Amino acid sequence: MSGNFDRDASTILLCVSGSRSYGTATPASDYDYRGVCIPPAEYFLGYFAKFEQFTESEPDDKVVYDIRKFFTLAEKANPNVVESLFVRDCDIVELTTLGEVLLENRDLFLSQRVFSTFTGYAHAQLKRLQSHRGWLLNPPGDKPRREDYGLPEMSKADQRQLQGQIQSVESKNYEISDNMMYYITQEKAYSSALKNWHSYQQWKKNRNPDRAAMEAKFGFDGKHASHLIRLSRSCIEVLQGKGLRVYRDDAEELLAIRNGAWSYDRLMEESSKLYAEAKQALEVSPIPKQPDLTKLDNLCMRLVRKHLNL
């Protein structure tokens, strides 16, 4: 929910994010910004006024978080948020004295939690890449029909009720007949096929033309591939105690990956290799298993009190 206050005056940090902060931007790349603000006192002390983040998409993509939400996301090692604390000085657009204090304490947010979040985001890129490649090589045909799976026609309401019954049966481990098991299996197969068909239709309808051309040429989405490798490498570096390197020394290679320099097989092999390296780095990582929440809480209160003159 957006707050009705002067966000510019309340913002303590605003920086460039995304490809321009990684060094992987192209001439066509958008400008993305992430920031932190401390809203007025009534947003802390009152009941009515509420604020979590401000978002706008024109003329550029910008997200400015309430300091409490920012701390919550950053201490959980959300890549898109914690990166805001480690961009180059030249990528910082606005910075107050309190913003400087926040940056001075940025290492408090780094912990072994990066393993689950960074590899999780990387895995999400991998799944998108694989599913899109599957659609490219073997696009779904006609919309699945219940009769194709030997199932009777049902209303949507009855289908939802049936799905709930199936989940109840499975969760409670009821003994069921072979005939019932067959229909449950077919129902799940139909639901999966229908979901895949709808997802394919949405993907085909909303595809970025440039990325669609890239996928047609190389057989996969190079942007997903580049993010996959960047996130995996960043994760390993943080776990090794090297800090979060937002601006990438390997930016040229990442751009080449985006532009199809790697084959699909090489990408899959490297992805598996990097995940194994991240697991090894986690086992011997010198950084804390989780952030010191007391220190982060004290830091947040210190910044808020100073901003509000409390």
Side-chain angles (χ1 to χ4, degrees):
M1 180 182 298
S2 295
N4 185 25
F5 59 89
D6 187 345
R7 284 179 291 270
D8 290 335
S10 297
T11 297
I12 65 171
L13 170 67
L14 184 69
C15 65
V16 174
S17 64
S19 62
R20 293 189 179 277
S21 65
Y22 308 141
T24 58
T26 67
S29 294
D30 296 330
Y31 276 89
D32 299 305
Y33 299 92
R34 293 288 182 274
V36 189
C37 79
I38 303 176
E42 58 266 28
Y43 288 83
F44 294 92
L45 305 176
Y47 165 73
F48 182 75
K50 293 179 174 62
F51 174 73
E52 286 192 350
Q53 67 186 61
F54 163 73
T55 304
E56 68 179 16
S57 56
E58 295 293 340
D60 303 303
D61 289 332
K62 181 189 293 186
V63 181
V64 179
Y65 297 99
D66 168 85
I67 188 170
R68 291 160 296 185
K69 182 168 184 178
F70 182 89
F71 269 54
T72 298
L73 294 173
E75 62 95 354
K76 294 182 185 301
N78 179 297
N80 295 328
V81 174
V82 74
E83 286 173 354
S84 304
L85 300 172
F86 294 88
V87 298
R88 299 174 299 173
D89 289 347
C90 62
D91 287 325
I92 296 176
V93 179
E94 297 177 24
L95 184 67
T96 67
T97 301
L98 296 182
E100 292 176 352
V101 174
L102 176 60
L103 293 183
E104 288 169 2
N105 290 275
R106 62 188 182 181
D107 287 339
L108 290 176
F109 293 90
L110 294 185
S111 74
Q112 293 177 24
R113 288 180 175 177
V114 298
F115 175 78
S116 60
T117 53
F118 276 60
T119 62
Y121 273 60
H123 183 70
Q125 298 292 331
L126 177 63
K127 295 302 291 183
R128 291 191 191 101
L129 191 150
Q130 291 175 323
S131 64
H132 295 177
R133 179 175 172 82
W135 290 335
L136 286 167
L137 300 180
N138 187 27
D142 295 333
K143 183 178 180 179
R145 301 174 301 173
R146 293 183 62 80
E147 63 187 66
D148 298 334
Y149 293 81
L151 299 170
E153 289 299 324
M154 303 176 69
S155 68
K156 290 184 178 180
D158 287 340
Q159 288 182 47
R160 287 194 293 269
Q161 182 178 8
L162 178 59
Q163 289 295 327
Q165 292 172 343
I166 290 174
Q167 292 175 6
S168 177
V169 167
E170 292 181 330
S171 65
K172 296 179 181 178
N173 296 318
Y174 289 139
E175 290 188 13
I176 54 178
S177 66
D178 291 341
N179 187 53
M180 179 60 72
M181 177 59 74
Y182 169 79
Y183 279 106
I184 288 177
T185 301
Q186 292 302 98
E187 191 70 42
K188 292 171 70 174
Y190 165 72
S191 296
S192 177
L194 184 62
K195 181 179 180 181
N196 181 63
W197 186 86
H198 280 301
S199 296
Y200 171 69
Q201 297 302 322
Q202 285 296 112
W203 171 74
K204 188 169 63 171
K205 177 182 178 181
N206 299 319
R207 292 169 77 192
N208 177 286
D210 292 335
R211 294 176 72 173
M214 182 189 302
E215 288 175 326
K217 182 177 182 180
F218 301 115
F220 60 90
D221 189 321
K223 188 171 183 179
H224 289 321
S226 178
H227 284 317
L228 166 61
I229 299 302
R230 175 185 58 80
L231 284 161
S232 300
R233 289 176 176 175
S234 295
C235 176
I236 293 169
E237 292 164 0
V238 175
L239 290 172
Q240 290 175 338
K242 297 177 181 178
L244 181 49
R245 302 172 179 177
V246 177
Y247 185 79
R248 303 299 306 168
D249 294 336
D250 56 352
E252 186 174 339
E253 183 182 27
L254 292 173
L255 275 170
I257 293 171
R258 175 173 176 164
N259 293 327
W262 286 14
S263 68
Y264 179 77
D265 289 341
R266 180 181 178 185
L267 180 63
M268 294 300 101
E269 180 181 351
E270 187 67 16
S271 174
S272 296
K273 176 185 173 184
L274 289 172
Y275 181 75
E277 289 182 10
K279 288 185 68 175
Q280 292 175 354
L282 176 64
E283 292 176 359
V284 295
S285 179
I287 66 175
K289 288 187 176 182
Q290 61 183 26
D292 187 324
L293 299 184
T294 299
K295 288 184 178 179
L296 287 177
D297 193 41
N298 288 335
L299 174 62
C300 185
M301 288 191 289
R302 174 186 170 193
L303 295 174
V304 171
R305 284 171 174 161
K306 187 69 174 178
H307 183 78
L308 301 179
N309 296 315
L310 297 177

